[in-house]
Amino acid sequence: MKAPKHRRKLLFGVVASISVLVASAAYVQIQADKSWQAMVALGEEVRQQWQRQPQARTPLWGEATDDYAFEHYSRAATLIDSVDGDRRAFFKMFGKSDAEVAALAAELRSAWQPSLAAMHSGAHSLRALRYAKGVGDEEILTLRTFRSVTNAAMLEARILRHEGNATGSMQLTLDSMTMASDIFHSGDVINQMIGIALLAIAMDPWPDEELAQLDEQTAASFARGLARLDERMPTRMLTSRETLFMAEHLQKVPDQGDWCGMGTWRYGFSQRWMLADAVLMTARNFERLEQVPGENWIARKELYDQIVEEVQASSNTAAHCMFPHLISAEQSIRHTVGHVRMLRMALDMHRGVASEPLADPFGTGALVIEENDRKLLIKSIGNAGHDKLERLVAL
């Protein structure tokens, strides 16, 4: 006996709906797998490119050893924990004069020497790139421990100068700058920001009046080291390691639901598809930025703003999390590199060397020098954001 006509229509409708759902689920799975494999392949390609890079870099002063820098840096970070584990041991010395720092650090000074010795060994090791062991093993460094190492180096540099050892003070500063630069070059954007923060701390012991007191030979050595540092430091983000970190981190921890939510309807509510596509989209946008020279901040900022608008207009909420805040990272890089260049220019002014103004990280020309009542103001005329990029030099 045949089923009533209306029941047959209802049955056919249910079967058709189920068929559509099955087909849709299959399509989503296929597309998710396709994007995921493309992301995996991208990560493998970037890793191979990274590992083909030369490991060697020249120390900012002195001789080099055929060691691995980060083995020494890791030891320096471990050793400093017993000295400044609560992050308060050094804080009371900030803002004090060199003589006061020397007095306050009398008991701590011997304790931080092993860490500084390890940092020195790392700074003079030729092999300065960090290689993760495998997929997902990319390590984000800990700011607090490396900041303590750099703080100890900064305080020791001030004490050495107070004791009359300006050369030792200068060399220690260059060592801590080397570690900061190595960290910057060996990681994703977070590690780049750690390196930039450490570089700013390393410059702290050298205000204008201290540069003026350096003897000719020490000043010349400092100038050579700073020039090497400036040559090595870019004014832009290094995006390849960020791409590698994103691609390999998702393979290790694919469930990122708490971070970006479920996939949107555009991705068939597949988080896997959306995340993989977000990495691919972000990598393509990095490539677009790389087409603009790092020196051209104005053009990079305009393109960055355009990309952010495109990303925010997309339905990929994971991509919203990955890209938009990176321009502030590049702005921080440019500020710190700008301060390195102004330090170089101030040092040359005090040692009586006629040198051309260095490039403005926020402009299309050179940093500007304005003279007023025996004082020289070095400054950027570009859009440096809320904080001005300038340095006053009293001759």
Side-chain angles (χ1 to χ4, degrees), residues 323-344:
F323 191 85
H325 302 294
L326 295 180
I327 197 65
S328 60
E330 181 156 322
Q331 191 161 304
S332 295
I333 294 167
R334 290 176 183 273
H335 260 283
T336 303
V337 171
H339 280 290
V340 170
R341 291 176 180 172
M342 291 190 298
L343 176 59
R344 289 183 62 195

Side-chain angles (χ1 to χ4, degrees), residues 47 51 130-139 241 248:
R47 173 173 285 280
Q51 291 178 334
R130 247 176 2 113
Y131 291 124
K133 296 179 181 178
V135 172
D137 289 332
E138 184 69 17
E139 178 189 7
R241 282 297 283 259
E248 295 195 344

